[in-house]
Amino acid sequence: MGTGMTEKTLIVSKIRNGTVIDHITGGHALDVLRVLDVNGRDGEVLAIAINVPSRKLGVKDMVKFEGRELESGEVDRIALLAPKATINIVRDYDVVEKQVVRLPKILKGIVKCVNPTCISNSKEPIQSTLYIKQEEPFYAKCHYCGHIMEKDELLKQF
Amino acid sequence: MGTGMTEKTLIVSKIRNGTVIDHITGGHALDVLRVLDVNGRDGEVLAIAINVPSRKLGVKDMVKFEGRELESGEVDRIALLAPKATINIVRDYDVVEKQVVRLPKILKGIVKCVNPTCISNSKEPIQSTLYIKQEEPFYAKCHYCGHIMEKDELLKQF
């Protein structure tokens, strides 16, 4: 990889309580932070590795953050950004829960339909609902107007 | 600090060639990346620690990046964001140069005057020039229109 930062040396740092998101698609760690609305300005303790070597993915990103566990809507967004990510919940230095993120079949209230005239974008109290019809290549379809969307169109909303 | 991420464990990871920016004001690492126009999307290898304990600063941020050295305009911007930062240039795993960032007396072409009617914001080929008149509390003065600016007004431009 031509880099001196190895996977191992970054894994050395342990968190006490919090979340480790590993196997993030290389170069997308900062997008994950944006999705989680975390930037360090509120004193959050974070460690981030970007484009480090990974046996599984070639390169990967990793985010560790202290004192925070994820909500399910957050996990769904991370699944869109980084479909191979793994999420470990750490309590008192032990991993108490491992999650593999999985693209859900339905995205409800997570991302908006990109068709501006779709009823889900009107002032009606309608929650956006997209069906993920295919993962690779990705496309999703709006429940209300049938509009077809690619992944980039959804990621832009984060 | 109530955190399991110590300064030590993060310093463990070494880079071969590149730059370590240490002692960044806590919570400002991502701003430093923005200033440097680095986000990992171009395959840059990065390690970032945010709000980790520091004897000197209480908490601090740190950014390590592989394969990149800084230009002087970049160092000036970092000085605005993180006036206590230290910059180490690493070649072949050795620190070959240490720099303490220092607020320059003059910012030329680094940030714009915030007065929209200032001649430096017109279409004239005039480079913005601000004098840093005082560091604490910070204020700067435009060479052309005399407008006085606080730090936040400058940081917003990054």
Side-chain angles (χ1 to χ4, degrees):
Chain A
M1 296 302 310
T3 161
M5 276 197 277
T6 67
E7 195 170 357
K8 185 158 164 265
T9 52
L10 277 153
I11 288 170
V12 168
S13 73
K14 280 201 162 186
I15 58 172
R16 181 190 292 174
N17 294 299
T19 305
V20 178
I21 307 176
D22 199 359
H23 304 107
I24 299 165
T25 316
H28 282 76
L30 300 187
D31 298 316
V32 167
L33 293 184
R34 202 170 53 243
V35 161
L36 300 176
D37 199 19
V38 164
N39 59 22
R41 287 299 185 90
D42 299 320
E44 310 94 324
V45 180
L46 299 162
I48 304 150
I50 297 180
N51 293 311
V52 292
S54 157
R55 245 170 310 175
K56 225 162 103 180
L57 304 178
V59 293
K60 66 171 185 178
D61 289 6
M62 187 196 297
V63 174
K64 300 183 178 198
F65 40 111
E66 187 64 46
R68 167 121 182 227
E69 299 186 8
L70 302 182
E71 289 157 26
S72 70
E74 293 175 328
V75 174
D76 287 349
R77 290 179 189 198
I78 290 169
L80 271 176
L81 271 173
K84 314 263 186 211
T86 51
I87 297 179
N88 287 351
I89 308 293
V90 176
R91 292 194 196 126
D92 208 15
Y93 297 109
D94 282 329
V95 174
V96 294
E97 197 184 319
K98 279 178 188 280
Q99 277 180 277
V100 176
V101 310
R102 218 181 288 273
L103 271 180
K105 293 281 175 229
I106 306 182
L107 296 168
K108 251 191 190 304
I110 305 290
V111 272
K112 288 194 268 185
C113 176
V114 301
N115 170 11
T117 64
C118 176
I119 191 167
S120 67
N121 287 319
S122 66
K123 297 230 162 84
E124 303 297 321
I126 291 174
Q127 200 178 35
S128 72
T129 303
L130 308 186
Y131 300 111
I132 294 182
K133 305 292 277 185
Q134 192 175 284
E135 294 199 14
E136 203 54 53
F138 178 98
Y139 78 93
K141 188 174 177 180
C142 177
H143 171 70
Y144 297 103
C145 71
H147 193 85
I148 297 289
M149 285 157 269
E150 293 180 12
K151 201 175 207 170
D152 280 351
E153 296 175 282
L154 304 185
L155 294 185
K156 259 189 264 170
Q157 300 182 29
F158 295 161
Chain B
M1 297 302 311
T3 162
M5 276 195 277
T6 65
E7 194 171 355
K8 189 159 161 261
T9 52
L10 277 152
I11 287 171
V12 168
S13 73
K14 279 202 163 185
I15 58 174
R16 182 192 291 177
N17 294 301
T19 305
V20 178
I21 308 176
D22 198 359
H23 303 107
I24 299 165
T25 316
H28 283 76
L30 300 187
D31 299 315
V32 166
L33 293 184
R34 201 167 57 242
V35 161
L36 300 175
D37 200 20
V38 164
N39 59 23
R41 287 295 185 90
D42 299 319
E44 311 94 323
V45 181
L46 300 163
I48 304 150
I50 298 180
N51 292 312
V52 291
S54 157
R55 244 170 310 173
K56 227 162 101 181
L57 304 178
V59 294
K60 67 170 185 181
D61 289 6
M62 187 196 298
V63 174
K64 299 184 179 200
F65 44 110
E66 188 65 45
R68 166 122 183 228
E69 299 186 6
L70 303 183
E71 289 158 24
S72 71
E74 294 174 328
V75 174
D76 287 349
R77 289 180 188 196
I78 291 169
L80 270 177
L81 271 173
K84 314 262 187 214
T86 51
I87 297 178
N88 287 350
I89 308 291
V90 176
R91 294 196 193 124
D92 208 15
Y93 297 109
D94 282 328
V95 174
V96 294
E97 197 184 318
K98 279 178 188 277
Q99 277 181 275
V100 175
V101 310
R102 217 180 289 272
L103 271 180
K105 293 282 175 225
I106 305 181
L107 297 168
K108 251 191 189 304
I110 306 289
V111 273
K112 287 195 269 186
C113 177
V114 302
N115 171 11
T117 64
C118 177
I119 190 166
S120 67
N121 287 320
S122 67
K123 297 227 163 89
E124 302 297 321
I126 291 174
Q127 200 179 35
S128 73
T129 304
L130 309 186
Y131 300 111
I132 295 182
K133 304 293 277 184
Q134 191 174 285
E135 296 199 11
E136 205 51 55
F138 178 98
Y139 78 93
K141 188 174 177 180
C142 176
H143 171 70
Y144 297 101
C145 72
H147 194 86
I148 298 290
M149 284 158 270
E150 294 181 13
K151 201 176 207 167
D152 280 351
E153 296 175 280
L154 304 184
L155 294 185
K156 259 189 264 171
Q157 300 182 27
F158 295 161

